[in-house]
Amino acid sequence: MPLSRVKKLLLFHLLLVNIATAQVREVTELHDNWKFSRGKNDNAWQLSFNDKNWQSVSVPHDWAIYGPFDKEIDKQDVAITQNNEKVSSEKTGRTGALPYIGEGWYRKTFHLSQYKKGQKVLLLFEGAMSEPTVYLNEKKAGEWHYGYNYFYLDITDLYQPDKENLLAVHLQNADQSSRWYPGAGLYRNVSVIVKNQESIDEWGTYITTPMITDSFAKVNIKTKVSGKGLTLVTEIMHPNGFILSSDTALAPWGNEFDRNISVRNPSRWSPESPMLYKAILRLYKGKELKDSVTTIFGIREIKYDPATGFSLNGQVRKFKGVCLHHDLGPLGAAVNKAALRRQMQILKDLGCDAIRSSHNMPSREQLELADEMGFMFLAETFDEWAKPKVKNGYARFFNTDAEKDVVNLIHATRNHPCIVMWSSGNEVPDQWGSEGVKRAKWLQDIFHREDPTRPVTVGMDQVKATMASGFGALLDIPGLNYRTHLYEDAYKAFPQGLLLGSETASTVSSRGVYHFPVVKAKDKQYPDLQSSSYDMEYCNWSNLPEEDFILQDDKPWVIGQFVWTGFDYLGEPTPYDDKWPSRSSYFGLCDLAGIPKDRYYLYRSVWNTTSPTLHILPHWNFPGREGDTTPIFVYTSYDSAELFVNGKSKGIQKKNSSTPQNRYRLMWMDVTYEPGTVKVVAFGKDGTPAAEQTIVTAGKPYKLLLEPDRKQLRADGNDLSFVTVTVLDKDGNVCPDAAEQLQFSVTGNGSFRAACNGDATSLEQFHLPTMKTFSGKLVVVVQAAKKSGDIELTVKGKDLQGAKVLLKAQ
């Protein structure tokens, strides 16, 4: 380029930057002052409708999580195909036994003071469960079917700038529309976007990094715009906050700017170093700033190679992932960033580096945290295609909606560096037959068209069928759900040269509950409706964790796994689907309250390579078992350890390959129970003691310990602290079998939000300020107010010393 041309562009760029002082795009999140009512209201879209007696709520909002639990809610007489059931039976907790079924209305008035005549007004929904129909000022603005998807509506012609505008949203959830608890209502954020006619299109920016070296990265930014005679100025901001490079484009090609911008000495994004850049885009017409958008992105390279497997930034690695449903336990489906952050911090300590959104499109907040905290992400779309699993599932809409749903997912999320793979489906019945193969290819082609930088998988459980039909062979990445005995056959049959454990284990357990004798068991049920936390029980289609560990460790063509699941979730109470009052899952490494189970430490001992693990199970409070065989397991990152019971050695155990369990667990199977002290001493590679842990038989419940995950909260009316409450004896020992009814009160600049004890059979409502501990623990959730100041939580129980903890909102 001639020097004079370069000077002109630089001068023009400097002039535009000096002019760009005003924010021309305004985004307003509609959180407060909504009116809500359950039930049928044919006239609720009308201005004259009287909603005075409706409930006042804030959005995000889940109308069903407040309960009560009821056996009759969504009671189903079905044979669950995914569970290999052949005969129908009554299922009472499959969707959580919470009142999500039926209709609901939300109404809100708003006025946009920043609006200027001639501007565009968009209404953005990040998730609405389900089938939302949207009205503005008595006119239908639009509708959407899929409750997990993002969508926006252009309401420019309906918005009235000189008055309060009435927004009304109708939602409806059919019975048998889900296999788990889906939530209900406006459970994700709703926003209004005001921008000029000449502007950057919504989700119109697409950033990729097609070339990366240690000294240089090429950042490609495609930007779709509306309007004529426009100029785009782009600046790249370093993660440390300074401007790295800038670019000025004087004219788009058609309606799209396509620019390549150089970044020197790039800092790569990874789970270990989640470096995030910003692209600041300013759109001008002449000298007038028309729009400005800032997009966060990462510089990273992903590669899937038959010879080496999966690599990130040139480093071969395997996914240490978990599957997550979208509910947040006692908060239900209502998205909350503090709750998500807590989950992901727990997963970080586990050594987890990847998340699969199962089986739904992820929230914006979850992806933002994955970018920031360093989690690779497998973003999933559907649990059904054209063939249904449940009577009123997504199959009703697949043929008409699937393409636009996929397009919205990609356009809304494709700039997140955390996303390294897409999933177009999970265990879809379409795995059988030629029509399913065509649908798999059709969906994969849409993903490739909209985002050619990431591969596509499907979670396949009918592996033999997909080998026979060609379904698995056409996928970018064959994903196997369980079926560990078929991995070798699938590897030989599929041409890709690699396999992903897209869903693994489905081992079941209840935190702190131990059943005897300790043996491997399939579909085991007990009178207490709990599964044993010895982690030796699983489902007829699934397996114990060690089978997956061995595949990851021994087979270079297995590129990793996503465990079912990181946390328990509402609904799907396998293996007690047919037993009331079971109403939430047993699969999690952590329970519904987010408290780690024993199995969490088994995975941590394998996955966390930076911090050692040493964990003893079971607890040592078994009155009445004196003299009975009570095995002791140790989950540890050390190879060997010695066990002592009341000072007497029970011998040294060393990990070995005699059984899959012996390769990853230390197990003393013939210990006789006697109350007292259990101690384990772990040895380093040189044979010297490296760590030890002790548990004791606790006395009677005496006092409470309160441990908040955070003491400093934002005074925004939405931030949360999760306080773990533990029952102790007089000497400070945990009472692991305590079931004490506790009461909670919050004073100051905060409020009680919810409580959860992790018991899958508890029918206590989450939002009431009382609950019984389960296995000696529960969690209380405290919410900050919008005013700064102290918050005090007090917890009391009969015949217990009460306890208090001081938090601060600021």
Side-chain angles (χ1 to χ4, degrees), residues 99-293:
Y100 80 95
I101 297 168
E103 299 181 52
W105 280 91
Y106 291 82
R107 285 165 54 96
K108 177 178 174 57
T109 58
F110 68 95
H111 178 259
L112 304 171
S113 58
Q114 71 272 26
Y115 175 83
K116 297 177 182 177
K117 186 177 180 180
Q119 289 186 307
K120 288 183 182 179
V121 184
L122 304 180
L123 192 59
L124 172 63
F125 290 83
E126 297 179 20
M129 193 64 69
S130 60
E131 302 180 47
T133 303
V134 182
Y135 301 86
L136 188 69
N137 298 324
E138 299 190 330
K139 303 291 185 181
K140 183 178 175 180
E143 61 185 348
W144 204 266
H145 288 131
Y146 195 32
Y148 289 111
N149 210 346
Y150 331 79
F151 68 97
Y152 64 88
L153 305 170
D154 189 332
I155 58 171
T156 303
D157 294 338
L158 302 179
Y159 178 72
Q160 298 179 13
D162 55 347
K163 59 189 296 185
E164 289 288 318
N165 290 254
L166 173 66
L167 172 62
V169 183
H170 174 254
L171 297 162
Q172 57 185 355
N173 289 326
D175 64 334
Q176 297 190 51
S177 58
S178 180
R179 297 191 298 119
W180 56 85
Y181 175 70
L186 296 177
Y187 71 101
R188 292 182 184 166
N189 283 305
V190 180
S191 303
V192 180
I193 301 162
V194 177
K195 60 180 183 175
N196 292 317
Q197 292 292 333
E198 300 94 343
S199 58
I200 297 168
D201 292 355
E202 197 63 23
W203 305 333
T205 303
Y206 181 27
I207 303 177
T208 58
T209 53
M211 182 183 297
I212 308 171
T213 68
D214 289 343
S215 59
F216 163 84
K218 180 169 76 173
V219 178
N220 178 257
I221 304 178
K222 294 179 174 67
T223 308
K224 290 187 176 180
V225 298
S226 297
K228 303 294 183 181
L230 301 173
T231 300
L232 183 68
V233 174
T234 303
E235 293 180 324
I236 303 294
M237 182 179 289
H238 189 272
N240 291 336
F242 56 87
I243 299 298
L244 278 173
S245 54
S246 61
D247 174 85
T248 300
L250 298 180
W253 181 263
N255 72 329
E256 184 177 77
F257 291 93
D258 190 341
R259 309 299 293 174
N260 290 307
I261 303 174
S262 172
V263 172
R264 295 188 179 278
N265 304 315
S267 298
R268 292 174 174 88
W269 183 95
S270 71
E272 293 73 31
S273 182
M275 304 297 284
L276 296 173
Y277 290 78
K278 290 181 181 178
I280 304 165
L281 285 72
R282 297 186 179 94
L283 190 68
Y284 294 86
K285 187 170 185 177
K287 296 181 181 180
E288 183 180 359
L289 178 63
K290 287 293 186 179
D291 200 3
S292 178
V293 171

Side-chain angles (χ1 to χ4, degrees), residues 749-766:
N749 293 308
S751 60
F752 169 78
R753 177 65 179 83
C756 186
N757 60 13
D759 180 1
T761 69
S762 172
L763 300 182
E764 293 184 277
Q765 291 171 259
F766 300 124

Side-chain angles (χ1 to χ4, degrees), residues 546-615:
E546 286 81 7
E547 291 185 37
D548 297 302
F549 289 152
I550 290 170
L551 286 167
Q552 316 304 307
D553 290 347
D554 295 356
K555 306 296 183 183
W557 41 268
V558 176
I559 62 173
Q561 65 166 311
F562 289 86
V563 179
W564 193 262
T565 54
F567 294 80
D568 281 339
Y569 55 92
L570 293 161
E572 280 196 315
T574 310
Y576 297 104
D577 303 271
D578 59 343
K579 297 290 190 296
W580 181 255
S582 292
R583 47 71 175 159
S584 61
S585 80
Y586 299 77
F587 297 117
L589 306 182
C590 301
D591 68 17
L592 196 69
I595 303 172
K597 303 179 187 178
D598 292 302
R599 192 159 19 102
Y600 173 94
Y601 298 97
L602 176 59
Y603 280 87
R604 190 184 192 278
S605 71
V606 177
W607 283 1
N608 189 328
T609 58
T610 60
S611 179
T613 300
L614 184 60
H615 177 78

Side-chain angles (χ1 to χ4, degrees), residues 29 124 126 150 189 269 274 276 294-297 335-338 340-341 344 355 362-375 377 412-413 415-419:
E29 292 189 341
L124 172 63
E126 297 179 20
Y150 331 79
N189 283 305
W269 183 95
L276 296 173
T294 298
T295 302
I296 294 174
F297 70 97
V335 70
N336 182 281
K337 202 162 187 176
L340 286 167
R341 186 184 295 276
M344 294 164 84
I355 294 169
S363 68
R364 168 180 57 85
E365 291 85 352
Q366 191 176 36
L367 292 175
E368 288 174 350
L369 286 168
D371 287 343
E372 171 194 330
M373 299 176 69
F375 287 90
F377 214 94
T413 67
N415 294 320
H416 289 280
C418 64
I419 298 178

Side-chain angles (χ1 to χ4, degrees), residues 390-565:
V390 289
K391 182 176 70 174
N392 293 310
Y394 185 74
R396 293 177 293 156
F397 311 118
F398 179 82
N399 289 329
T400 57
D401 290 16
E403 181 169 4
K404 69 177 185 178
D405 278 327
V406 169
V407 168
N408 271 24
L409 166 68
I410 296 170
H411 288 190
T413 67
R414 60 190 172 185
N415 294 320
H416 289 280
C418 64
I419 298 178
V420 297
M421 194 187 308
W422 304 109
S423 169
S424 62
N426 170 71
E427 296 182 359
V428 293
D430 313 66
Q431 289 168 91
W432 297 89
S434 60
E435 287 301 311
V437 177
K438 293 174 184 176
R439 290 182 189 119
K441 184 179 186 307
W442 175 68
L443 285 168
Q444 185 164 274
D445 286 347
I446 296 171
F447 277 100
H448 289 170
R449 182 191 74 204
E450 301 297 326
D451 176 27
T453 71
R454 298 175 175 96
V456 181
T457 190
V458 171
M460 301 182 295
D461 63 332
Q462 302 300 319
V463 180
K464 289 184 178 180
T466 63
M467 287 192 286
S469 69
F471 185 108
L474 72 86
L475 299 173
D476 296 331
I477 307 293
L480 270 61
N481 285 11
Y482 316 105
R483 312 304 190 264
T484 54
H485 63 288
L486 294 175
Y487 268 53
E488 290 278 1
D489 291 342
Y491 170 63
K492 294 173 183 176
F494 296 149
Q496 297 90 334
L498 45 78
L499 295 177
L500 171 70
S502 45
E503 191 169 312
T504 63
S506 273
T507 305
V508 292
S509 62
S510 301
R511 177 181 55 80
V513 176
Y514 305 93
H515 291 301
F516 304 93
V518 179
V519 294
K520 286 176 65 175
K522 186 185 298 185
D523 295 332
K524 182 70 174 178
Q525 293 187 339
Y526 298 94
D528 63 358
L529 306 188
Q530 305 291 350
S531 294
S532 178
S533 199
Y534 273 105
D535 303 322
M536 297 290 280
E537 297 171 7
Y538 56 103
C539 308
N540 67 77
W541 72 87
S542 64
N543 51 269
L544 297 180
E546 286 81 7
E547 291 185 37
D548 297 302
F549 289 152
I550 290 170
L551 286 167
Q552 316 304 307
D553 290 347
D554 295 356
K555 306 296 183 183
W557 41 268
V558 176
I559 62 173
Q561 65 166 311
F562 289 86
V563 179
W564 193 262
T565 54

